Every structure is written in structure tokens, then in C-alpha cells.
Amino acid sequence: MNERLENIKNKYEELSVELTKPEVLNDFNKLKKLSKEQKDLEEIVNKYNEYKKCEQDIKDAKELINDPEMHDFALEELNLKEEELPKIKKQLEVLLLPKDPNDDKNIIMEIRGAAGGDEANIFAGDLFRMYSKYAEKQGWTIEILNELEGTAGGFSQIEYTVKGDSVYSKLKFETGSHRVQRVPETESQGRVHTSTATVLVMPEVDIEDIEIRESDLKIDVYHSSGAGGQSVNTSNSAVRITHLPTNTVVTCQIERSQLKNKERAMQMLATKLHDAAQNKLDNQVGEQRKKIGTGDRSEKIRTYNYPQNRVTDHRINYSIMELDRVMDGNIDPIIEALITEDQRLKLEGND
């Protein structure tokens, strides 16, 4: 591990020199590329420097321990640093894990009301609000691509982009079936009902990265519509694209321009086709790579129990008695627990 860390540190220092050269400073694309490359190494290098300093502190303490005047101080320092060193080493091991190439990407997220009729759609709306609040706290931006409102509120389906810093790394474990247990507003007997909504998280893909033949597409245009089905645009600006070989359908109606809606719909299509291809590959690999959950939207991953104010993630047996705060966008504890478990599984796989 030390040899690998030394190579990373040397590369980091080489990049620091490169970034001061006039030819790099005058080339925006090269400057951006090298700056990102250096930034990706920065956390590892800083942690490695911390590790080396801790090793040196242990060495110095051992030398001072025989000095009667410094014995007590050196012994305390030695115990402290010897306890600290393995923790730093563990952190380094995590940082050296192979990085998911999609972690830095923006995402397209889809939420659908599933089992439970109107209550499922209302819950889908609650989940959208939860993720919107979380995105706001992270400094991310959300843009709705397509929405079908539920008759009693919420959404039967909503698709939107989330853009910002390392969005996929935080939300990639949200794909699956989310279950809610609560008394619906329409329930006169006060009985707790169980409903579900499904969430799909896909890393955004450039259209150029996916081969899509025009002959494989069926493109329909129609009037955009707002809440209650009211026309918000008298021109045929909304676009629905069907990819015939896979029967994948995408819709976009947020722009007033048909051309812009088509561009966004093609972006959605490329992302969905890439996601389907990746899932097929993961299924072929099977259990060779340990991961949290199957990544299947039908997999029940989490329960939101309102009577007990509890949220439980079933994949890692993690519960938090703060459902009210979670629904207000405070989902960091759940996300951090999932990331920690994913790292543990990967470390086990590398042993």
C-alpha cells in the first residue's frame, strides 16, 4: 500500500508543477482536466501525509520515552498516536478503493406511485419533496422533465434531473421500492394503510456515448398540459419518443420549444438505455461483486412508518426514529450508513 501511496503523491506533485506552466494556464481545457485530476488525488495525499506524520510522531515519542523529564508526556503521546494510526490506515484503505466512475455525475431520477392507488401517488409526491429538500441542502439544482399528477395529489409519475457536486455518489442507493405505513387522510376508521412508490436513479449519460439509430425511434408530438390537464401551450411542443427495439418510452414537455423538448427527451432515452444495459451486465456478473441491494426498482428497500416516526432501511437493518426530519430532507444519516456499508463490503471483497 505504501508504494502505491508514494506513486499517488509523486503524481500529485507532478500535476502541481504542470499547473504552473504557461502553456497549461493558457489552455482552458487542459487546465480543467489537470485540475480535476489533481483534485481527485488531493484527499488521498492529505490523508497519506497525516499517516506519515503519525508514524513520525510515534517514532519521536519512543525516542523521548527514556528521558526521565519527558517520560510521562512521551508515553501519553505514544499511546495516543498508536491508537490513531490504525484508524488513519483504515481511512486510507477506503480512499484507495476503486472509485465508481459514475459518482461525479448528475442524475435523472424517476418516482412513480405504485401499490395503493391515490395514497401511493401522494407518497410519491412526499418522496419528491424529501429529495428536493435534500438537494436544496446540498446546493444542487432540480429540473422537472415530465410529470403526471395524481388525482388526489402527489404524482403517479415524475421524472427530473438533479445537478450538482457528486450527485450520483449520494443518491445511487435510492433505487427500489419505498413503502409507507400511515393513516391516509381519506381513511375514516383511522386504520393504518400500506402503500408503495418506486424510485429509479440513473447517472446522466451523454447522447454521444450511446448509439441510437433514428430508424429505431417513433416520435410523437402533442400539446403540453399543466395541472388538471389544462393546455399551457397551444403549439405541439411536447415530445414522446419510443425506442422500438426495447419499447422504452420517454416524454418531455417542460420547454415551450419542441426542439428543446426533443433534445431533453433524447438525453433521457440515452440515460435509460445505458442504465438498462448496465443492469443486464450486472446480472451477468452476478454475485462476483458485492453491493447493497440488486439495483432493481421492484426491490423493497425502505419503510417509512408514520405511527412510530420510524424509517427503516431493510438492506442494512438501519432504523432512525426521526421520520419527520427525514421527510423534511434530513436523509444524510441514512445515506452515510449506506455508503459506510458499501465500503465495508468492498473492503471485505479485497481481502
Side-chain angles (χ1 to χ4, degrees), residues 1 48 208 255 322:
M1 186 176 81
Y48 181 46
E208 295 78 17
E255 301 282 359
E322 298 179 357

Side-chain angles (χ1 to χ4, degrees), residues 247-282:
N247 199 33
T248 303
V249 181
V250 295
T251 303
C252 187
Q253 58 175 335
I254 62 165
E255 301 282 359
R256 290 189 173 274
S257 160
Q258 182 186 127
L259 181 61
K260 287 185 178 179
N261 277 330
K262 183 183 176 184
E263 288 175 358
R264 289 178 179 274
M266 286 297 293
Q267 170 80 67
M268 291 170 66
L269 180 62
T271 296
K272 286 195 172 187
L273 292 177
H274 179 269
D275 187 66
Q278 187 60 52
N279 285 338
K280 185 177 180 182
L281 181 63
D282 286 346

Side-chain angles (χ1 to χ4, degrees), residues 60-68 70-72 74-75 78:
D60 292 344
K62 284 180 177 177
E63 289 176 359
L64 287 172
I65 210 162
N66 294 321
D67 184 337
M70 300 295 293
H71 175 79
D72 291 346
L75 183 61
L78 181 63

Side-chain angles (χ1 to χ4, degrees), residues 200-211:
L200 180 61
V201 176
M202 299 168 286
E204 202 171 50
V205 176
D206 291 332
I207 299 173
E208 295 78 17
D209 294 340
I210 303 292
E211 184 182 352

Side-chain angles (χ1 to χ4, degrees), residues 310-329:
R310 185 187 74 236
V311 181
T312 299
D313 196 289
H314 305 290
R315 295 164 295 179
I316 55 174
N317 295 320
Y318 176 88
S319 290
I320 183 170
M321 309 302 287
E322 298 179 357
L323 182 143
D324 51 341
R325 297 189 73 247
V326 167
M327 298 310 292
D328 202 36

Side-chain angles (χ1 to χ4, degrees), residues 213-228:
R213 293 182 295 189
E214 196 74 27
S215 59
D216 289 338
L217 303 178
K218 179 176 181 288
I219 301 177
D220 300 304
V221 294
Y222 55 97
H223 289 326
S224 297
S225 59

Side-chain angles (χ1 to χ4, degrees), residues 69-81:
E69 293 184 5
M70 300 295 293
H71 175 79
D72 291 346
F73 168 78
L75 183 61
E76 184 180 349
E77 179 77 356
L78 181 63
N79 291 335
L80 182 68
K81 295 300 177 180

Side-chain angles (χ1 to χ4, degrees), residues 4-17 19 33-50 91-92 95-97 99 104:
R4 186 179 171 193
L5 287 164
E6 281 295 331
N7 289 336
I8 290 172
K9 185 177 180 181
N10 290 337
K11 179 65 177 176
Y12 181 84
E13 290 170 353
E14 287 170 13
L15 286 167
S16 297
V17 173
L19 286 165
K33 179 176 177 291
L34 294 180
S35 295
K36 185 183 183 306
E37 197 175 337
Q38 188 193 48
K39 187 175 183 297
D40 289 342
L41 301 177
E42 190 170 28
E43 190 176 3
I44 297 174
V45 171
N46 288 341
K47 187 59 65 176
Y48 181 46
N49 288 337
E50 186 182 341
Q91 291 167 346
L92 272 171
L95 289 172
L96 288 173
L97 285 171
K99 190 177 179 184
D104 292 333

